[in-house]
Amino acid sequence: MTYALKDIGEALQKERERRGLSQRAYAALTGATQPRVSKIENGEIDPRLSTLIEFARSLDLDLMLVPRQHVPAVNAIIKRQPLSYDQKTAQNAIRRLSTIVTVLRERFPDNDHLTKLAKTTRELSNFRLRGGDAQRISKIGDALKSIQATPALVNTLDIHANELRRIRNEIAHNVTEESSEPRPAYRLDEDDNE
């Protein structure tokens, strides 16, 4: 493994995760296998240049040769990418939820469900959320806000922690309603009669 490959693999992994794609979904998008995606992201194999270009382009990225002296300027430009309305709404929903969870943790420091909510909220802040996700997260925030006002509702925290975890898993694994049915581990094709 070379450090250059590790850096490229980490950049691909970061962008894939930012887009909310699992390795399996990304593999399907690129036509590779999930283990190959994992090995490339971890810098364990030395893929061909054409493979790296294909992987980058599938994430709307381009591989470029940038003079070393200009790399800081390019990095500064990349960090200033404007957020879409949905992304801003999602960030605000996550920020609000994080604040509410922090207040509740101060009030109920030994509650494991609040620890789970805090962890899941942190994880969600790393994903690219879809439009409906922000609304679902806001509803959980509203429910937790009502627990702040009525501490007797603290026993409902497990419901909200599980729902937030479900949202996180759907985003992380790119699950849609039509793909929620279990898939067979293998299939028999009719044209394998040879």
Side-chain angles (χ1 to χ4, degrees), residues 17-20 123-129 168 171-172:
E17 289 173 347
R18 189 180 75 78
R19 293 173 178 271
E123 291 171 353
L124 280 170
S125 67
N126 295 319
F127 292 128
R128 172 176 272 180
L129 302 177
R168 180 252 179 240
I171 295 166

Side-chain angles (χ1 to χ4, degrees), residues 57-100:
R57 288 187 176 162
S58 69
L59 295 169
D60 292 328
L61 300 173
D62 271 318
L63 289 178
M64 302 178 86
L65 298 175
V66 177
R68 193 177 308 262
Q69 67 198 37
H70 299 300
V71 169
V74 171
N75 286 335
I77 291 169
I78 291 170
K79 288 181 181 175
R80 292 189 187 146
Q81 290 286 330
L83 296 175
S84 70
Y85 176 78
D86 283 344
Q87 290 170 324
K88 287 178 187 175
T89 303
Q91 276 188 349
N92 289 337
I94 292 290
R95 209 173 292 123
R96 178 176 173 258
L97 182 62
S98 180
T99 302
I100 294 168

Side-chain angles (χ1 to χ4, degrees), residues 7-8 24 48 75 79-80 96 125 146 150 162 193:
D7 290 343
I8 291 171
R24 183 175 290 136
R48 294 186 323 203
N75 286 335
K79 288 181 181 175
R80 292 189 187 146
R96 178 176 173 258
S125 67
S146 68
T150 313
N162 290 335
N193 297 332

Side-chain angles (χ1 to χ4, degrees), residues 3-160:
Y3 291 108
L5 288 176
K6 182 76 171 155
D7 290 343
I8 291 171
E10 286 175 355
L12 289 170
Q13 179 180 6
K14 184 177 177 183
E15 183 62 20
R16 174 185 59 76
E17 289 173 347
R18 189 180 75 78
R19 293 173 178 271
L21 291 172
S22 66
Q23 284 185 345
R24 183 175 290 136
Y26 184 58
L29 182 70
T30 61
T33 63
Q34 183 273 325
R36 182 160 173 81
V37 169
S38 176
K39 287 177 182 178
I40 290 172
E41 288 181 350
N42 293 315
E44 295 172 8
I45 60 172
D46 190 354
R48 294 186 323 203
L49 180 59
S50 60
T51 301
L52 288 175
I53 291 170
E54 182 182 336
F55 272 48
R57 288 187 176 162
S58 69
L59 295 169
D60 292 328
L61 300 173
D62 271 318
L63 289 178
M64 302 178 86
L65 298 175
V66 177
R68 193 177 308 262
Q69 67 198 37
H70 299 300
V71 169
V74 171
N75 286 335
I77 291 169
I78 291 170
K79 288 181 181 175
R80 292 189 187 146
Q81 290 286 330
L83 296 175
S84 70
Y85 176 78
D86 283 344
Q87 290 170 324
K88 287 178 187 175
T89 303
Q91 276 188 349
N92 289 337
I94 292 290
R95 209 173 292 123
R96 178 176 173 258
L97 182 62
S98 180
T99 302
I100 294 168
V101 169
T102 301
V103 170
L104 285 171
R105 286 183 80 188
E106 290 171 4
R107 201 165 183 186
F108 307 103
D110 297 329
N111 191 298
D112 292 335
H113 299 300
L114 286 171
T115 303
K116 185 177 174 182
L117 278 162
K119 180 182 179 210
T120 306
T121 302
R122 271 193 315 276
E123 291 171 353
L124 280 170
S125 67
N126 295 319
F127 292 128
R128 172 176 272 180
L129 302 177
R130 302 167 290 216
D133 298 329
Q135 293 171 338
R136 293 168 65 195
I137 292 167
S138 290
K139 285 181 182 178
I140 292 172
D142 293 341
L144 295 181
K145 194 78 170 161
S146 68
I147 292 172
Q148 273 183 306
T150 313
L153 295 174
V154 77
N155 60 350
T156 64
L157 281 172
D158 62 329
I159 296 167
H160 306 302

